[in-house]
Amino acid sequence: MPGPLTPPRILRGIPDELQGAVAALYWRHFGAQISPLPARARQGVALIRTAMRPGQALVALSPAGRLVGVAGLRDANGGFLSPDAGGFVAAWGPFGGRLRHLTTALYLGGGETTDLVLDGVAVRPEWRRRGIARALVKAAAAHAREFGYPALRAEVHARNHAALAAWQAIGFRHLGRERLGWPWSAPAHVLRMAV
């Protein structure tokens, strides 16, 4: 159980010793969006661990140094997860991995932008409502300013009303709705916050 409210320590990039914990947290939050086919947690975590690009993320640590949150980042050089087949092959073997990877061709990602895109923000359940996501966004905004991005962008599934409200409370403004994700997904809200 978390102690008193203490601001998390935010790191750019994912240290080697935290990569397994980041993969488990990210899979728990975004597994269904990453792979629509049923998958065991062990395989999903292996996929994330192999496909993650550690430099394309921020991590939030508790005062004791425990991972409490992660924010993936996407820019013109790509996102938090590599789009190649390597992660899928590592998780499901050469045949099953390549077959699963083929399904990713159906996934429609966000369009090109000059903004820095938040490529998924995940917070450990016991640390929610403690300012972790807000701290990650603040750090992402500082990163965006430092590297000359005009704004942060977030994409939220239309049915995720709680996430939409949280993003707007942080300061994101609604730009519109787009068809993103898997073909059967609901449209997504595209949000933006100038930095």
Side-chain angles (χ1 to χ4, degrees):
M1 190 69 166
L5 289 177
T6 304
R9 184 165 55 111
I10 306 294
L11 303 177
R12 286 187 189 174
I14 306 170
D16 291 344
E17 66 274 12
L18 293 178
Q19 289 182 11
V22 167
L25 178 61
Y26 203 82
W27 176 259
R28 188 177 321 129
H29 276 69
F30 302 111
Q33 294 171 31
I34 294 166
S35 178
L37 302 173
R40 293 186 178 116
R42 177 181 52 80
Q43 291 168 312
V45 170
L47 165 65
I48 302 299
R49 184 150 190 175
T50 305
M52 78 168 60
R53 299 172 64 214
Q56 292 290 99
L58 302 168
V59 292
L61 304 179
S62 72
R66 184 171 176 234
L67 176 76
V68 295
V70 61
L73 304 174
R74 187 172 77 230
D75 57 22
N77 297 316
F80 174 59
L81 299 178
S82 170
D84 67 23
F88 290 88
V89 170
W92 287 281
F95 179 74
R98 292 191 190 289
L99 195 58
R100 281 179 178 263
H101 182 257
L102 284 174
T103 66
T104 64
L106 297 173
Y107 190 89
L108 182 60
E112 287 187 29
T113 179
T114 58
D115 297 338
L116 181 64
V117 180
L118 290 166
D119 204 10
V121 175
V123 175
R124 293 180 63 90
E126 67 272 22
W127 283 84
R128 291 181 188 153
R129 300 190 179 279
R130 298 173 57 82
I132 306 300
R134 188 176 293 272
L136 284 164
V137 170
K138 183 178 176 183
H143 178 80
R145 278 191 299 278
E146 181 180 338
F147 289 92
Y149 297 100
L152 286 179
R153 188 172 292 232
E155 299 154 354
V156 179
H157 286 286
R159 293 185 188 124
N160 194 344
H161 303 293
L164 178 61
W167 288 117
Q168 290 175 325
I170 290 172
F172 283 81
R173 301 291 170 245
H174 193 264
L175 285 182
R177 287 167 60 126
E178 291 183 20
R179 178 65 66 182
L180 300 173
W182 300 104
W184 49 87
S185 298
H189 296 285
V190 178
L191 308 169
R192 187 174 195 259
M193 181 176 75
V195 298

